[in-house]
């Protein structure tokens, strides 16, 4: 691509120099109107050459963006940028033989000027509890802090653990947020139906600047409400896909959400289900509500 752009620059500039020479070198004698006409028509091919040059060097500036792609991205990002909720539910791992292991799941999230904060607590069948604080910046950069059972202080979760199963389920730590909508590389595929829903199909591709275990995330997004109904994530390297299905879509206080999210790992029996039992879509949260140390201390008192 670099060689093509270099050649385009050379050809366009050569053409512009020739046009300039012609416009200055011709004599029009007693007919000034001929000078005007020749110069005017001479600028047309020059302008075309300049447009070609710009389109090759800066293609995004020369051609308008896909309006549907802009609609999907803007709608998805705005949905996340308006998050302000509390919720309580269950996170359940269902084995291939039907055996179930359930965890209490409590979470709250709010978008601040510097991005999204999500604080969640997962309580096991016993007294053990895992607390997570995820912060996603306005550019999609993610950091995760955690307090694991038996620990009293939060620590940064190293990137090498982001893809670990969350309390043994098919959800990973990274799966708790939708940072893929903020990646730079986005492509709108052909529209499809998912069940009875007409969907945009958005493929989000991570770049070298994105800290993620996923190479790409493809989302089937309902055209009417701009909410995902089906998501397929492809990890880097392995190619083993993970599927997410959203059930029970509802609108509360003008905010769309799912009542259940199911995660399935390709080639692995069983699945995991996050069920939302109750909550508030407009919780009026502030920064003080996202102190993971205080949350952990409160958990110790409850014990």
């Amino acid at each position: 691509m670099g060689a093509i752009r270099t050649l385009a620059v050379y050809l366009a500039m050569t053409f512009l120099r020739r046009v300039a020479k012609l416009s200055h070198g011709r004599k029009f004698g007693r007919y000034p109107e001929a000078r005007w006409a020749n110069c005017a028509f001479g600028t047309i091919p020059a302008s075309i050459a300049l447009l070609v040059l710009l389109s090759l060097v800066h293609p995004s500036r020369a051609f308008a963006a896909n309006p549907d792609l802009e609609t999907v991205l803007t709608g998805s990002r705005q949905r996340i940028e308006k998050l302000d909720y509390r919720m309580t539910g269950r996170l359940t791992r269902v084995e291939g033989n039907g055996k179930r292991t359930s965890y209490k799941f409590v979470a709250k999230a709010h978008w601040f000027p510097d991005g999204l904060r999500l604080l969640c607590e997962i309580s096991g069948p016993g007294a053990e509890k895992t607390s997570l604080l995820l912060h996603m910046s306005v550019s999609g950069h993610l950091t995760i802090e955690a307090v694991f059972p038996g620990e009293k202080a939060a620590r940064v979760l190293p990137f090498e653990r982001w893809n670990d199963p969350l309390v043994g389920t098919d959800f990973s730590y990274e799966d708790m947020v939708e940072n893929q909508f903020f990646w730079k590389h986005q492509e709108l595929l052909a529209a499809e139906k998912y069940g009875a829903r007409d969907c945009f199909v958005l493929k989000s591709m991570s770049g070298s600047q994105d800290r993620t275990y996923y190479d790409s995330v493809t989302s089937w997004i309902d055209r009417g409400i701009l909410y995902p109904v089906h998501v397929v994530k492809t990890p880097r390297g392995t190619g083993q896909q993970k599927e997410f299905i959203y059930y029970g879509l509802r609108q509360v206080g003008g905010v769309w959400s799912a009542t259940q999210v199911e995660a399935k790992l390709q080639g692995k029996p069983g699945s995991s289900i996050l069920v939302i039992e109750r909550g508030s879509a407009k919780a009026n949260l502030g920064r003080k509500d996202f102190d993971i140390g205080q949350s952990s201390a409160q958990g110790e008192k409850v014990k």
Side-chain angles (χ1 to χ4, degrees), residues 195-216:
R197 296 180 180 272
D198 293 319
C199 296
F200 292 113
V201 182
L202 177 69
K203 185 175 183 180
S204 308
M205 295 156 286
S206 63
S208 58
Q209 73 279 2
D210 299 307
R211 294 187 71 200
T212 176
Y213 265 86
Y214 294 112
D215 179 68
S216 67

Side-chain angles (χ1 to χ4, degrees), residues 50-65:
L50 184 59
L51 178 61
V52 171
L53 171 63
L54 289 174
S55 67
L56 288 169
V57 178
H58 300 290
S60 59
R61 297 180 186 177
F63 300 100

Side-chain angles (χ1 to χ4, degrees), residues 121 123 127-131 147 151-152 291-303:
E121 299 175 356
S123 304
E128 68 275 10
K129 183 181 74 171
T130 298
S131 299
V147 180
E151 299 179 349
K152 295 183 179 180
D291 185 341
I292 189 173
Q294 182 180 8
S295 173
S296 178
Q298 289 176 349
E300 291 295 328
K301 291 179 183 180
V302 171
K303 292 180 185 180

Side-chain angles (χ1 to χ4, degrees), residues 13-251:
M13 295 307 295
T14 301
F15 184 76
L16 287 171
R17 283 195 295 268
R18 289 182 179 179
V19 170
K21 287 180 180 179
L22 287 173
S23 62
H24 287 88
R26 290 180 180 175
K27 297 181 180 180
F28 299 98
R30 301 185 314 174
Y31 303 98
E33 64 272 17
R35 180 193 301 272
W36 177 88
N38 210 312
C39 288
F41 284 102
T43 58
I44 293 176
S47 300
I48 293 174
L50 184 59
L51 178 61
V52 171
L53 171 63
L54 289 174
S55 67
L56 288 169
V57 178
H58 300 290
S60 59
R61 297 180 186 177
F63 300 100
N66 183 327
D68 284 342
L69 175 60
E70 185 175 352
T71 296
V72 174
L73 280 179
T74 300
S76 298
R77 290 171 179 173
Q78 287 181 348
R79 172 177 60 82
I80 296 170
E81 290 167 358
K82 293 177 181 178
L83 289 179
D84 178 37
Y85 70 79
R86 292 180 186 268
M87 59 82 68
T88 301
R90 298 185 321 283
L91 180 59
T92 303
R93 167 64 188 165
V94 183
E95 305 293 344
N97 59 8
K99 179 184 175 182
R100 291 173 173 258
T101 305
S102 293
Y103 303 84
K104 182 180 179 181
F105 187 90
V106 180
K108 50 188 173 182
H110 184 90
W111 182 274
F112 294 96
D114 64 346
L116 179 70
R117 278 174 169 78
L118 168 66
L119 179 63
C120 58
E121 299 175 356
I122 305 149
S123 304
E128 68 275 10
K129 183 181 74 171
T130 298
S131 299
L132 300 174
L133 176 62
L134 297 93
H135 175 226
M136 183 183 72
S137 72
V138 293
S139 61
H141 180 78
L142 186 62
T143 57
I144 305 174
E145 294 180 61
V147 180
F148 293 105
E151 299 179 349
K152 295 183 179 180
R155 56 188 173 93
V156 174
L157 188 71
F159 175 70
E160 292 72 22
R161 294 198 58 187
W162 285 14
N163 198 41
D164 289 355
L166 182 59
V167 294
T169 68
D170 297 292
F171 292 91
S172 70
Y173 295 95
E174 185 180 350
D175 291 333
M176 293 294 100
V177 295
E178 300 173 288
N179 56 332
Q180 72 269 15
F181 293 121
F182 294 85
W183 295 344
K184 290 183 179 180
H185 306 289
Q186 308 283 345
E187 179 184 358
L188 195 64
L189 306 181
E192 292 183 4
K193 272 187 171 292
Y194 185 79
R197 296 180 180 272
D198 293 319
C199 296
F200 292 113
V201 182
L202 177 69
K203 185 175 183 180
S204 308
M205 295 156 286
S206 63
S208 58
Q209 73 279 2
D210 299 307
R211 294 187 71 200
T212 176
Y213 265 86
Y214 294 112
D215 179 68
S216 67
V217 179
T218 304
S219 307
W220 283 254
I221 300 172
D222 185 285
R223 296 178 68 98
I225 62 176
L226 295 179
Y227 194 91
V229 295
H230 182 220
V231 172
V232 174
K233 297 185 177 183
T234 303
R236 289 174 171 170
T238 66
Q240 185 183 36
Q241 293 182 327
K242 188 188 292 189
E243 179 183 23
F244 298 81
I245 306 172
Y246 296 75
Y247 300 100
L249 301 189
R250 62 182 179 180
Q251 188 179 35

